[in-house]
Amino acid sequence: MVISMLKDKIFGKGGGCGCCGTQIVGSRQIDVGGRKVGIVGLDETFKEHLKRGKKPEDLTGDELLKEIKKFNFIAEGAEEVYKEAFLREYRGFFEARNR
């Protein structure tokens, strides 16, 4: 579902007339193991989980990594650090929208 949504956003499908050109998937930097790393599609992935009613405790790092890894290079052996970062970021994302 998230992948389909991101593809639609990138290629301009799934709503609208398509006359405005390609849409861009968001990218932002997060702290991963003490380093700033740019991640593509993070907020879109988070929005989809929020839309489904997923609380931070309902998600696993594995689940987030699997989805986000489809659009981002994550070096083998660094997965655990990314999982922690994604879960931390989702907690902040969730809390900011539920105040």
Side-chain angles (χ1 to χ4, degrees):
M1 179 78 164
V2 173
I3 298 303
S4 176
M5 178 191 68
L6 289 174
K7 280 192 224 175
D8 289 349
K9 213 169 175 185
I10 292 168
F11 298 113
K13 298 179 182 178
C17 64
C19 65
C20 299
T22 302
Q23 298 177 14
I24 303 298
V25 173
S27 172
R28 70 176 168 101
Q29 290 191 342
I30 64 170
D31 182 288
V32 178
R35 303 185 99 180
K36 289 289 184 186
V37 177
I39 302 294
V40 174
L42 189 68
D43 288 333
E44 289 83 1
T45 301
F46 289 172
K47 285 176 188 175
E48 187 61 32
H49 285 294
L50 189 65
K51 191 168 120 178
R52 292 186 206 151
K54 294 246 183 169
K55 296 177 183 173
E57 57 270 15
D58 297 334
L59 287 174
T60 66
D62 289 324
E63 186 176 2
L64 290 171
L65 181 72
K66 181 180 176 184
E67 293 173 12
I68 296 168
K69 192 174 184 176
K70 292 177 182 175
F71 292 96
N72 297 275
F73 172 76
I74 298 175
E76 195 171 315
E79 288 95 350
E80 292 304 316
V81 178
Y82 276 87
K83 289 176 194 179
E84 291 171 15
F86 294 156
L87 287 169
R88 182 189 65 244
E89 291 294 321
Y90 187 70
R91 276 191 298 276
F93 181 89
F94 182 86
E95 291 169 4
R97 278 146 184 83
N98 288 298
R99 289 185 185 163

